[in-house]
Amino acid sequence: MAEPDAVRTFEDGLAQIRATFEQALRAAEDEPQLRLINARYVGPQGELTALLKLMPKLPGNRRRELGQAANALKQGIQQAFDETLDRIHRSARDAELTGPHLDLTLPGRWQMPGRLHPITRIRNDVLDIFVSMGFDVADGPEVELYENCFDKLGFPPDHPATDEHDTFFVDGDRPSDAPTVLLRTQTSTIQIREMMKRKPPLAIVSPGAVYRRDDDATHSPMFFQLEGFLVDQDVSFAELKGVLTLFLRRLFDEHVALRFRASYFPFVEPGGEVDMSCVFCRAWEQDRARTAACRVCKGTGWMEILGCGMIHPVVFENVGYDPEKYTGFAFGMGLDRIAMLKYGIPNIKLLYENDVRFLSQF
Amino acid sequence: MLASFRWLQELCPVDADVAEVARRISLAGLEVEAMERKGHDLSGVVIAEIRAKKPHPKRDDLTLVRVFDGENEHDVVCGASNVPDPGGRVLFARSGAVLPGGMQIAPRKVGGVESSGMICSEEELGIGADGEGIFVLDEDHRALPGTNAADALDLRDVILDISLTPNRPDCLGHVGIAREIGVLFGMPYSPRKAAGPRRAFLPEGAFRPGQPTTRLAPLWDSESDMVDSPKLPAISVEIVDGDRCPRYGAALVSGVEVGPSPFWLRYRLHNLGLRALSNVVDATNLILLEWGHPIHGFDLDRLRGSKVVVRLADEGEKTATLDGIERTFTSDDLLICDGEGPVAVAGVMGGLFSEIRDDTKHVLIECAYFDPRSIRRTSRRLGLHTDSSHRFERGVDPEAIPQVLASAASLIAELGGGAVAADAIDCVARAHRPASIRLRPERAARLLGTPVSKEESMRILESLGCRIVEHDGETIEAQTPSWRPDLTREVDLIEEVARVRGYDQIPTAMPRAHVSEAGTPGLLKLVDELRDAAVACGLYEAINYGFLSVEDLRRARVGADAVMLANPLSEERAVMRTSLLPGLTGAASRAQRHGATEVRLFEIARTFQPTGDVLPHEQTVLAINLAGHRPGWIGAEQAFDLYDGKGVIEAIIDRVFGRKPELVSGDLPSFMHPKRSGVVTLASEGVGFVGEIHPEVSDDLELIGRVIYAELDVPALHALSEKLGPPQARDLPKFPAVTRDIAMLVRDAFTAGEIADALQAASNGLAESVRLFDLYRGDQIPEGHRSLAFRVTYRDTSGTLTDKQVDKVHGSLAKVARDRFEATIR
């Protein structure tokens, strides 16, 4: 049943809303306020919502007309709302873009730095170079047989060549005729093990921990070596020089010069040591004053970096290769020393103390 | 080996400065590690003549001396007691001079008297060890006052410190180094003869009849006056063990007067690191440094029975060596004995009884060749490394014995007076046979990678002292010189050719390309991947020593059946580790003592487990150690707990294997907390453990707070990775997912994992995941209970789920929670 009062109420309500909404919405200062004001008109308890609930009470002849007016008003409110919201967003963004800076000095999140040990880093660098040249990586036991560490490598019995290798022996309650067991003093043992296992051609590098009974300012009783060797028909000293030159240039600097000096290791002959131009005073730049003052190379411009040579025929004989058929070269280096050179580590002891303050530097 | 450049130049006068000589011999294998200039820094020190001396007015221990330095007279206060009378000459440091020790000479008052300059001792000038009195020149010295001390005493020299490899015993004396320099500079070295003794005698009756002798006279460069043979008992030498002592020579110097050596000799020994003692002993040392051949002087009067016997010791035989220590021998030790007993340990050290003393009159000089291995074993057994054993164990030149004896006898006679027996005993039990080696220049060229001609090879070998026995188109046969025991096979000669030419003459080349058949073993690759994954989790890599102490193992309650070292450096490093726990927690404990608030360490290394075999089992293990609080952003700090350890393990395994491991209860090592640790499984196989360290162990290890430790068995992971294969791709979902949460109150007895599993199982395959997202204990929760909230993600692979479908299945999940776990759904 239509109520004439309803029409009036409806019309007055619409007029009332129409007169105020625009100003009310546009005066909102932020989004929550805007939504609050908006709800006052079109929320579940809103004024316009309340009017719309009166619709059924309107007389049929006015219902359509008034309904359209209410809808138009609702759209008007929506538009004012959207525009105001847009303005608020815009001004907030403008405020952020032109306002004060965030405190950039607060710590970053996701802060979980882990670090490889410097020896591992160097080992990886060195392995990458050799692996890219076609070398395999191999491994062997740290507790070794005397014969693999010395006899098969051509160390003569009772010979001062072993003086460099002050060896830790394993205490055995084993029969006395059993082979003597020791902690390997060099990774050259892997030459023996791999050559006995495989047939040429072979190109292998093997990093690992080795042990010697030296413990002073410049020696650690455990340290890391990397051994490499290549065996094939007609391998020459010239190729040894080629491989090591390429290796050191890639590891340190493309400018380094190498100097091969004769030396002696029982398992290579001709045997040598390699000096590299000092990478601290950058001896290749020929700044003699800087080299003269260089403490690392002691003014010589050279630093000893590795040992090498052509694999001794006695080693081939010991592993069952024909030394007339096969030749090969071998080289070895101290990874500790290279890590110390490369990272400027002053004392070898730091490498094994595992002081977090040290480990976190690499 | 210290070498005097002056001396080398006397032996081989090459036209090159010391730097060039050092460079060349270094490249050829005689590495010069350091060079020290001697006598170059004495400007301001001159010869001065004593003009007057009188006692100091106040102090008895001082003398007032007036000296003339060639220009002026100076009054000097001197504290030495040996100030010579006027006319004597001394070394005088003028005011302004700086002595080698850094002392600056300036006028000063001594005991109230002005002193201008200083009269110096050897020690103060760094030219000798004598600091007792001032240096006084010999009366017959011709230097005039004012002459620079370095000129007057001929002090300038450069001492080379050569690091010799053990294959080059020939260079353990100046003669050998000079020979090497001659080879490298193309100036063939010819050994000089020794200056002959002034007086010699024919040793008629001095040697027992039948004793083999050699004539020394041809080895001298001058004639000697022949004097009457002294009356001496007849001497004999007997080699009992000819394998250990192939050759033994002995020369005789009679009528010697033992006294101090002249300055030039003392100075030379001083610069080469030896202490001057007396002329006879100094002479033997100089000969050692010259020839590299140790000799030994016996006091003939103390040689009982006038005989020398070279034999093996009886087991347990004893004698005192020169250093005053009584030594006990085994039947493997070679002794030099007289008629009654041991007088020297052959090649190692002389005996106390027969040593040269101040009253020695007749000296028997021993020069022998001993089996290097025998000397080395004895030297090591006795812990006696001497200049003598160092050379014998490397191998001296057996053929040089007569020459060395001639030089030694002549030098001793020159220094101590007396006459030399013109014949020396020369017992040869085993004659030296030179090695004969075939060299193929073509083989050398192939090995070196550069052309090598036959002519050049022959020239180099001959310059080294080899004798070319024969040669044809392809081979050279060479006999090696007796001073190069290291040359035994063809490759040794190839090295000589390469070395003398210089390794820098060899070009560089690259080997033929290699294609690796085997590649890097998977286990090594896995180790690298695990290491990278651990670093990505924020861990620092540690590297510990492989050995530790028995106590470390006991404290950590890890396997005590360990590989023991026979000769550890200390008890702290006496056994090989059976676990990484002691090393890693040791680092954590030290870090905590430094005040580190968070410790995140890992190590991948081997443990050593004894087996029935000769070698232990070496097992690669990844160990992780977390202590302190977890890194967070600003705000409250939270201590690491089991779930941090679990998270790290999950992250590492997930990264490497693309799968999540599980943590289950099971057998744990006794050092782990029984209720706060678990076994890590991957595809249902145990691969490690993680959790809190047992509180008692943690206390014993001096760790602060709850410390998390984990280990992964790397070979087990490797075996699994081979079994599991690489991850396989799955279809991406085509239909949307719906998420619903379910929160419940349950008793602690039920684990979150079993509830989640049960919920998933109840979902009829629609629950894609069931994830715990909240855990709460507190005010509203009864004791022994907790509130768990799971987020369930539903997805149907064949179509879009409707709300109704989801409601139904979600309801059945709630029922399972209520029925199976007595849960109150919240």
Side-chain angles (χ1 to χ4, degrees):
Chain A
M1 192 60 191
E3 289 173 38
D5 283 358
V7 173
R8 159 159 295 159
T9 310
F10 202 91
E11 284 181 327
D12 288 354
L14 288 184
Q16 171 75 21
I17 293 168
R18 194 177 288 121
T20 60
F21 85 88
E22 185 104 29
Q23 207 181 353
L25 281 169
R26 293 198 194 274
E29 282 173 4
D30 55 23
E31 188 173 337
Q33 201 183 4
L34 175 67
R35 291 195 182 280
L36 212 64
I37 297 165
N38 193 50
R40 229 159 63 205
Y41 298 109
V42 294
Q45 259 76 53
E47 292 170 23
L48 186 59
T49 313
L51 287 184
L52 288 172
K53 284 182 186 154
L54 289 179
M55 285 282 284
K57 295 187 179 162
L58 296 177
N61 59 340
R62 298 294 304 278
R63 203 177 286 165
R64 180 184 165 84
E65 169 215 340
L66 288 173
Q68 279 173 349
N71 265 331
L73 185 56
K74 196 173 179 181
Q75 276 168 23
I77 292 172
Q78 183 64 42
Q79 192 186 342
F81 173 82
D82 289 346
E83 284 171 14
T84 309
L85 187 62
D86 191 48
R87 178 183 57 74
I88 287 171
H89 282 171
R90 234 167 239 296
S91 74
R93 183 174 291 178
D94 284 349
E96 202 179 278
L97 288 169
T98 58
H101 215 286
L102 281 187
D103 183 350
L104 300 181
T105 65
L106 293 184
R109 294 198 187 91
W110 286 98
Q111 210 185 50
M112 283 278 270
R115 300 291 169 93
L116 287 175
H117 193 282
I119 289 178
T120 303
R121 286 188 57 157
I122 276 296
R123 174 187 156 281
N124 289 351
D125 288 352
V126 172
L127 286 184
D128 281 350
I129 296 171
F130 284 112
V131 167
S132 74
M133 287 193 228
F135 283 76
D136 286 351
V137 183
D139 203 4
E142 292 173 26
V143 181
E144 252 294 6
L145 300 176
Y146 188 93
E147 60 170 330
N148 286 343
C149 197
F150 293 120
D151 295 341
K152 288 211 166 88
L153 282 165
F155 283 76
D158 298 323
H159 193 270
T162 54
D163 285 354
E164 288 279 301
H165 299 246
D166 199 351
T167 308
F168 287 108
F169 289 97
V170 164
D171 197 15
D173 47 347
R174 302 184 179 85
S176 58
D177 58 345
T180 318
V181 179
L182 44 72
L183 305 189
R184 67 177 176 200
T185 58
Q186 49 189 351
T187 42
S188 310
T189 52
I190 295 162
Q191 268 185 52
I192 298 299
R193 286 182 169 269
E194 291 298 315
M195 283 199 262
M196 289 180 45
K197 219 155 53 187
R198 293 154 74 168
K199 291 285 159 228
L202 281 181
I204 291 172
V205 281
S206 48
V210 298
Y211 299 83
R212 293 188 194 176
R213 295 185 78 252
D214 290 321
D215 195 3
D216 56 37
T218 56
H219 294 90
S220 165
M222 185 187 91
F223 58 103
F224 283 79
Q225 275 190 343
L226 183 132
E227 179 87 3
F229 63 100
L230 185 149
V231 182
D232 200 347
Q233 294 181 23
D234 284 328
V235 176
S236 73
F237 198 100
E239 288 161 357
L240 167 63
K241 288 183 73 170
V243 166
L244 292 181
T245 303
L246 185 62
F247 161 66
L248 287 175
R249 288 187 174 165
R250 279 173 65 177
L251 187 66
F252 286 99
D253 190 293
E254 58 178 323
H255 295 100
V256 296
L258 269 57
R259 185 169 84 165
F260 286 75
R261 273 188 290 109
S263 190
Y264 170 73
F265 307 97
F267 42 97
V268 287
E269 183 149 30
E273 280 179 334
V274 181
D275 296 338
M276 176 179 75
S277 39
C278 180
V279 292
F280 281 85
C281 59
R282 300 176 67 80
W284 56 86
E285 286 169 4
Q286 310 263 314
D287 181 343
R288 290 186 197 283
R290 193 172 57 204
T291 294
C294 179
R295 269 195 251 162
V296 177
C297 66
K298 298 192 185 89
T300 62
W302 295 101
M303 52 204 330
E304 196 175 314
I305 197 78
L306 47 77
C308 65
M310 303 305 293
I311 296 175
H312 201 289
V314 77
V315 175
F316 287 144
E317 286 159 8
N318 289 339
V319 299
Y321 290 3
D322 178 0
E324 282 294 306
K325 185 171 174 194
Y326 294 111
T327 54
F329 60 73
F331 50 87
M333 65 196 84
L335 292 175
D336 306 59
R337 178 171 158 70
I338 296 178
M340 289 168 73
L341 282 176
K342 196 131 185 178
Y343 304 129
I345 298 168
N347 178 350
I348 191 168
K349 295 296 159 66
L350 285 168
L351 292 171
Y352 301 102
E353 282 167 357
N354 297 310
D355 189 320
V356 175
R357 296 169 298 182
F358 172 77
L359 296 178
S360 61
Q361 295 171 13
F362 300 95
Chain B
M1 170 79 194
L2 297 178
S4 152
F5 187 61
R6 279 288 298 276
W7 198 355
L8 295 173
Q9 279 183 313
E10 288 163 19
L11 293 165
C12 183
V14 290
D15 182 21
D17 65 11
V18 64
E20 178 60 9
V21 169
R23 193 185 72 83
R24 291 288 291 278
I25 64 175
S26 290
L27 290 177
L30 276 55
E31 188 187 359
V32 178
E33 291 204 316
M35 289 190 273
E36 194 183 345
R37 289 152 66 87
K38 297 282 187 182
H40 286 79
D41 47 1
L42 290 175
S43 58
V45 181
V46 295
I47 307 297
E49 189 182 295
I50 307 290
R51 287 285 162 90
K53 64 172 184 177
K54 59 180 179 185
H56 190 281
K58 291 185 197 150
R59 290 188 35 198
D60 293 348
D61 57 337
L62 299 176
T63 311
L64 301 185
V65 188
R66 172 157 294 181
V67 296
F68 173 64
D69 72 354
E71 293 169 8
N72 301 300
E73 290 195 350
H74 303 272
D75 288 318
V76 188
V77 180
C78 182
S81 56
N82 65 332
V83 177
D85 291 332
R89 279 162 303 159
V90 294
L91 298 181
F92 176 66
R94 290 170 171 154
S95 284
V98 179
L99 300 190
M103 185 201 262
Q104 173 112 35
I105 306 299
R108 63 191 183 109
K109 279 206 161 83
V110 183
V113 179
E114 188 73 28
S115 179
S116 172
M118 184 167 124
I119 305 175
C120 303
S121 70
E122 281 180 8
E123 193 186 32
E124 283 158 341
L125 295 176
I127 59 172
D130 186 357
E132 287 292 299
I134 56 171
F135 183 90
V136 180
L137 271 71
D138 293 338
E139 275 173 30
D140 55 356
H141 202 289
R142 289 198 292 261
L144 296 172
T147 315
N148 184 292
D151 293 330
L153 297 174
D154 202 8
L155 296 175
R156 291 193 183 86
D157 198 354
V158 180
I159 302 301
L160 307 178
D161 185 353
I162 303 175
S163 166
L164 272 185
T165 53
N167 60 327
R168 292 301 300 274
D170 60 309
C171 289
L172 285 164
H174 282 69
V175 164
I177 301 170
R179 194 190 283 127
E180 182 81 1
I181 293 172
V183 169
L184 297 173
F185 285 84
M187 184 175 204
Y189 164 83
S190 51
R192 292 184 318 173
K193 289 181 177 182
R198 268 186 222 130
R199 291 184 298 142
F201 63 91
L202 289 174
E204 284 157 23
F207 300 141
R208 235 167 256 169
Q211 212 37 228
T213 58
T214 185
R215 178 61 47 108
L216 296 181
L219 302 167
W220 288 321
D221 71 348
S222 59
E223 297 276 316
S224 313
D225 293 338
M226 297 308 284
V227 299
D228 288 344
S229 183
K231 294 280 166 280
L232 291 170
I235 308 157
S236 72
V237 169
E238 183 195 350
I239 299 174
V240 176
D241 192 324
D243 291 331
R244 304 288 189 114
C245 177
R247 188 169 184 179
Y248 192 101
L252 184 57
V253 186
S254 162
V256 172
E257 195 168 318
V258 175
S261 296
F263 174 73
W264 70 265
L265 174 53
R266 285 184 284 125
Y267 182 62
R268 187 154 273 182
L269 292 178
H270 173 74
N271 278 347
L272 296 173
L274 291 179
R275 223 156 60 88
L277 295 168
S278 72
N279 51 8
V280 175
V281 175
D282 294 350
T284 62
N285 280 331
L286 193 79
I287 293 294
L288 169 97
L289 295 176
E290 180 173 18
W291 291 92
H293 203 132
I295 58 173
H296 187 69
F298 293 105
D299 182 336
L300 190 60
D301 291 330
R302 291 193 177 82
L303 211 57
R304 296 158 299 188
S306 300
K307 67 196 264 193
V308 170
V309 181
V310 187
R311 63 161 170 86
L312 285 175
D314 294 328
E315 193 73 33
E317 198 170 355
K318 291 184 170 115
T319 200
T321 41
L322 269 178
D323 50 12
I325 297 172
E326 181 163 84
R327 310 279 178 176
T328 307
F329 303 105
T330 73
S331 56
D332 190 40
D333 296 319
L334 191 68
L335 297 180
I336 309 298
C337 303
D338 64 7
E340 292 180 22
V343 292
V345 188
V348 180
M349 189 179 264
L352 196 56
F353 178 71
S354 62
E355 70 171 319
I356 303 293
R357 302 181 194 183
D358 290 349
D359 62 354
T360 296
K361 289 280 168 273
H362 312 293
V363 180
L364 186 74
I365 307 163
E366 165 199 291
C367 180
Y369 177 82
F370 300 114
D371 171 41
R373 292 181 59 181
S374 170
I375 301 302
R376 180 171 172 84
R377 286 201 301 273
T378 296
S379 153
R380 286 178 77 85
R381 193 155 36 233
L382 298 177
L384 254 183
H385 183 94
T386 60
D387 283 335
S388 171
S389 71
H390 188 80
R391 287 165 173 82
F392 279 120
E393 70 179 20
R394 283 161 175 73
V396 298
D397 179 0
E399 301 290 276
I401 287 173
Q403 179 71 63
V404 175
L405 280 175
S407 299
S410 182
L411 181 62
I412 288 173
E414 180 194 325
L415 299 173
V420 177
D423 292 334
I425 293 176
D426 187 11
C427 289
V428 181
R430 307 276 185 273
H432 171 76
R433 277 208 195 82
S436 192
I437 307 173
R438 200 170 53 105
L439 171 69
R440 293 163 293 173
E442 185 272 335
R443 167 89 181 166
R446 277 218 322 252
L447 190 69
L448 299 177
T450 187
V452 176
S453 74
K454 197 178 87 176
E455 291 65 32
E456 187 190 15
S457 305
M458 284 169 52
R459 198 175 66 240
I460 289 173
L461 294 181
E462 281 181 322
S463 75
L464 288 163
C466 289
R467 203 167 68 78
I468 307 299
V469 182
E470 59 175 315
H471 61 95
D472 57 27
E474 278 134 37
T475 66
I476 302 164
E477 190 172 339
Q479 273 187 357
T480 60
S482 55
W483 57 86
R484 290 296 302 272
D486 58 316
L487 305 181
T488 63
R489 56 191 294 170
E490 183 181 27
V491 70
D492 298 321
L493 299 187
I494 295 175
E495 179 177 74
E496 291 304 303
V497 170
R499 193 175 69 78
V500 172
R501 284 166 51 151
Y503 287 177
D504 54 345
Q505 300 300 307
I506 299 172
T508 59
M510 285 307 286
R512 281 183 299 201
H514 266 272
V515 178
S516 149
E517 270 184 55
T520 301
L523 184 66
L524 295 183
K525 273 197 268 190
L526 176 61
V527 165
D528 281 342
E529 288 172 21
L530 290 171
R531 208 181 253 130
D532 288 343
V535 168
C537 287
L539 307 181
Y540 294 132
E541 187 185 14
I543 296 182
N544 280 290
Y545 286 146
F547 31 50
L548 30 65
S549 72
V550 175
E551 178 62 14
D552 288 330
L553 297 179
R554 195 196 58 74
R555 261 205 309 260
R557 301 195 194 168
V558 295
D561 179 20
V563 176
M564 314 283 286
L565 297 185
N567 55 342
L569 280 173
S570 70
E571 283 305 307
E572 294 305 301
R573 295 170 188 162
V575 294
M576 300 308 285
R577 64 184 163 211
T578 55
S579 163
L580 301 189
L581 176 78
L584 210 51
T585 53
S589 166
R590 285 193 299 277
Q592 288 184 329
R593 281 204 295 277
H594 289 146
T597 53
E598 51 179 84
V599 180
R600 314 190 300 269
L601 292 172
F602 80 100
E603 181 169 16
I604 301 187
R606 301 175 189 188
T607 61
F608 303 84
Q609 316 292 345
T611 62
D613 291 335
V614 179
L615 294 184
H617 173 60
E618 298 188 12
Q619 163 99 355
T620 304
V621 176
L622 164 63
I624 290 164
N625 192 185
L626 304 174
H629 61 75
R630 85 175 58 103
W633 206 50
I634 307 156
E637 291 169 352
Q638 282 187 303
F640 282 123
D641 63 20
L642 164 68
Y643 304 106
D644 292 289
K646 183 181 178 185
V648 168
I649 293 292
E650 284 175 340
I652 290 173
I653 289 182
D654 195 13
R655 175 169 157 144
V656 176
F657 296 93
R659 301 174 173 244
K660 272 222 156 54
E662 307 230 358
L663 196 57
V664 300
S665 59
D667 283 346
L668 290 163
S670 55
F671 53 78
M672 294 303 284
H673 193 299
K675 301 296 180 193
R676 290 170 168 265
S677 317
V679 173
V680 179
T681 64
L682 182 62
S684 305
E685 287 189 33
V687 293
F689 58 85
V690 58
E692 277 179 28
I693 292 178
H694 194 292
E696 306 271 321
V697 178
S698 184
D699 285 349
D700 287 349
L701 296 174
E702 294 171 18
L703 293 164
I704 302 165
R706 297 179 186 274
V707 174
I708 305 304
Y709 182 75
E711 279 186 13
L712 289 177
D713 175 338
V714 179
L717 286 174
H718 179 237
L720 260 179
S721 74
E722 308 240 293
K723 201 169 112 187
L724 297 174
Q728 300 296 312
R730 291 185 302 269
D731 287 341
L732 297 180
K734 292 189 184 65
F735 302 99
V738 177
T739 60
R740 292 284 171 87
D741 295 345
I742 176 168
M744 62 189 77
L745 190 67
V746 286
R747 284 196 290 118
D748 287 345
F750 299 110
T751 66
E754 63 187 317
I755 296 171
D757 287 349
L759 297 182
Q760 183 141 27
S763 75
N764 231 346
L766 289 182
E768 190 178 73
S769 71
V770 178
R771 185 171 66 81
L772 181 74
F773 74 92
D774 191 37
L775 183 156
Y776 179 72
R777 290 177 208 276
D779 288 348
Q780 262 101 76
I781 310 294
E783 183 71 20
H785 287 66
R786 54 188 175 166
S787 163
L788 301 176
F790 297 90
R791 177 152 298 162
V792 187
T793 303
Y794 295 101
R795 196 195 301 271
D796 185 355
T797 52
S798 59
T800 303
L801 285 168
T802 62
D803 280 353
K804 220 172 128 191
Q805 282 175 295
V806 175
D807 287 345
K808 190 171 165 226
V809 66
H810 201 61
S812 65
L813 262 53
K815 184 169 178 345
V816 165
R818 278 192 300 269
D819 296 352
R820 293 257 305 273
F821 303 105
E822 302 150 30
T824 310
I825 305 297
R826 308 182 83 207

